[in-house]
Amino acid sequence: MNRLGRRCLAAAAGLVLDRLVGEPPADVHPVAGFGRTMERVEEALWADRRLNGAVYALSGAVMGAAAGTVAGSTAVATWAVAAGRELRRVASRVGELAAAGDLAAARTELPSLVGRDPSELDDSGIAAAVIESVAENSVDAVIAPAFWAAVAGAPGAVAYRAINTMDAMVGRRDERYGNFGWAAARLDDIANYVPARIFAGLVTVLRPDRAREILAAVRRYAKAHPSPNAGVAEAAMAAALGRELGGPLRYGDTEENRPLLGDGPRPDPDDVPEAVRIADRAEWAAVGMLCLIWLAVWLKGRARRLP
């Protein structure tokens, strides 16, 4: 149990470190280096079969865990794979551009947040994309790294980020990756299952005035989303804002008719700052929760040592 407490405190420290200094520089960022390595692994292993994709996903997860073991420090590993500060910075920037009416610039910057085609999005479509990204990536880049750091230390945090990166690279349901990317996508679904629900719970606690609506939206809408986890986070955020997210979108030449999430009007750029504030407060709440777990474990251990 003492190890659990130390891991929780270290995970909290890693999130705070990300808030203070941001991500490592791009040229030495471990996630970017891992991505380049997995591109070479894909070249060697690719075939239109799930087995090949499973070998790819397993090898990447093992590499991530090994890198975490070498890193040693859970706090440093969590900082290296978390990206909450950058997520909120870019989301705020795109929201500001859209609110100022500079939709061309907003569309140019939007691909750094989402993979969808921004070329035909109006200001409401840009706002929806930003808010959905803030919700989903608050799980991927904040809650999940800290959760797996608390569960399994530095190897857990880095292995999680490896899985999440592989899902982004090959987890698409298209002709090339429909079979090859299946294992990476399923691993990512499993790894994010608990963190997504932690995020929704934190949003509910942070917006007690809309707690009933948030819980109802998650129950009603999340199951219709193609992702078992993104739908939970996005439905919670939609209800927290009193807005409707989801709907049709385009990835390159592929169109998807995503389900609508939430009840209310479509968002506009003025809703982005509140979504960013909710995500920011959710991260602080996660830090506080990790510290409380550490304190509870420490007090329990201290009580056992008393005569």
Side-chain angles (χ1 to χ4, degrees), residues 139-152:
V139 176
D140 293 355
V142 177
I143 304 300
F147 172 81
W148 286 107
V151 169

Side-chain angles (χ1 to χ4, degrees), residues 15-16 18-20 83-89 91-92 134-135 137-139 142-143 199 202-203 206 237 272-288:
L15 292 183
V16 172
D18 174 62
R19 296 180 69 92
L20 292 174
R85 172 172 161 161
E86 182 67 6
L87 167 66
R88 294 186 295 271
R89 184 194 70 79
S92 296
V134 167
N137 288 305
S138 288
V139 176
V142 177
I143 304 300
F199 176 76
L202 292 175
V203 172
L206 292 168
M237 183 66 81
V272 171
E274 180 60 19
V276 171
R277 279 192 292 270
I278 291 171
D280 182 68
R281 292 168 62 200
E283 183 177 55
W284 276 124
V287 169

Side-chain angles (χ1 to χ4, degrees), residues 2-29:
N2 288 336
R3 289 182 179 179
L4 172 62
R6 289 195 297 269
R7 291 196 302 266
C8 286
L9 190 61
L15 292 183
V16 172
L17 190 59
D18 174 62
R19 296 180 69 92
L20 292 174
V21 303
E23 296 184 76
D27 55 347
V28 296
H29 200 300

Side-chain angles (χ1 to χ4, degrees), residues 66-151:
T69 301
V70 171
S73 169
T74 298
V76 171
T78 305
W79 162 66
V81 302
R85 172 172 161 161
E86 182 67 6
L87 167 66
R88 294 186 295 271
R89 184 194 70 79
V90 176
S92 296
R93 172 64 177 162
V94 176
E96 289 168 0
L97 290 170
D102 193 350
L103 300 188
R107 293 186 189 109
T108 298
E109 295 210 20
L110 189 59
S112 62
L113 283 176
V114 298
R116 70 191 66 178
D117 181 359
S119 60
E120 297 181 4
L121 294 179
D122 59 11
D123 60 346
S124 179
I126 291 170
V130 172
I131 293 168
E132 289 166 18
S133 176
V134 167
E136 180 179 0
N137 288 305
S138 288
V139 176
D140 293 355
V142 177
I143 304 300
F147 172 81
W148 286 107
V151 169

Side-chain angles (χ1 to χ4, degrees), residues 13 15 17 23 29 39 57 111 118 135 147 153 158 162 176-177 186 188-189 195 225 241 249 268 292 301:
L15 292 183
L17 190 59
E23 296 184 76
H29 200 300
E39 286 177 351
F147 172 81
V158 183
R176 178 174 175 83
Y177 295 121
R186 297 293 78 75
D188 187 70
D189 288 344
H225 197 283
L241 297 173
L249 52 82
D268 61 48
L292 285 174

Side-chain angles (χ1 to χ4, degrees), residues 181-199:
W182 180 88
R186 297 293 78 75
L187 270 179
D188 187 70
D189 288 344
I190 293 168
N192 277 313
Y193 188 87
V194 173
R197 285 146 184 84
I198 291 174
F199 176 76

